[in-house]
Amino acid sequence: MASSAFTDEIRGFFEEYNDAFASIDGNRIAALYHMPTVTMRGDASIHCLQSREELARFFQGVADTYYKDGYRGGSFKNLQVVPIGERSALATMDWEMRRGDGSLIREWRQSYNVVRVSNGWQILVSTFHVK
């Protein structure tokens, strides 16, 4: 298991990630990903994104769709962090997507392989827990 300081560091990264999504700004979201990156979405589709521009377009589409669905913010809970050495980790959490009035739109479980690079943490792989 991760030390509390390590878990707090990862928690801080995902709070920044959550804020980036709330901004509905694909470029801001993309900045938190490593290039290349792989993501498996809730529909079980798998995407390998090779450039920051490609990633920004992809996540702008995701954020725009969330916004059209009523998304105005979200949060995560039940964060579990497993270090993979000192420069990477597996982080798993439950996400909640909410409307402006706080009501729940949807929730899901997701895992991320994150890596520490020169300017902080970045997401290398993102995997929705698909049933």
Side-chain angles (χ1 to χ4, degrees):
M1 288 308 293
S3 70
S4 62
F6 192 82
T7 297
D8 289 346
E9 191 177 335
I10 300 296
R11 181 182 310 283
F13 171 78
F14 280 103
E15 288 169 354
E16 180 183 350
Y17 182 71
N18 189 41
D19 290 345
F21 248 98
S23 75
I24 313 297
D25 182 341
N27 287 311
R28 190 169 162 197
I29 298 165
L32 299 173
Y33 279 81
H34 190 274
M35 287 296 105
T37 193
V38 175
T39 181
M40 184 175 87
R41 308 303 299 161
D43 63 1
S45 63
I46 298 173
H47 305 268
C48 182
L49 303 158
Q50 300 288 327
S51 71
R52 186 82 48 219
E53 296 78 20
E54 184 181 18
L55 185 64
R57 277 192 310 273
F58 178 82
F59 275 109
Q60 188 64 60
V62 171
D64 288 345
T65 298
Y66 284 4
Y67 192 83
K68 287 176 192 164
D69 289 346
Y71 168 79
R72 297 300 180 269
S75 61
F76 62 91
K77 60 185 180 181
N78 302 321
L79 174 65
Q80 298 172 309
V81 177
V82 178
I84 305 171
E86 293 180 5
R87 298 178 50 92
S88 61
L90 176 66
T92 301
M93 67 207 65
D94 298 312
W95 284 103
E96 296 178 338
M97 176 191 283
R98 298 196 175 274
R99 296 177 185 87
D101 66 5
S103 62
L104 185 67
I105 298 170
R106 70 177 68 96
E107 56 188 343
W108 66 94
R109 191 152 178 81
Q110 193 165 357
S111 292
Y112 302 84
N113 285 85
V114 294
V115 293
R116 188 192 320 257
V117 295
S118 61
N119 60 343
W121 291 98
Q122 290 187 327
I123 297 167
L124 180 63
V125 178
S126 165
T127 307
F128 276 71
H129 292 209
V130 178
K131 294 180 182 181

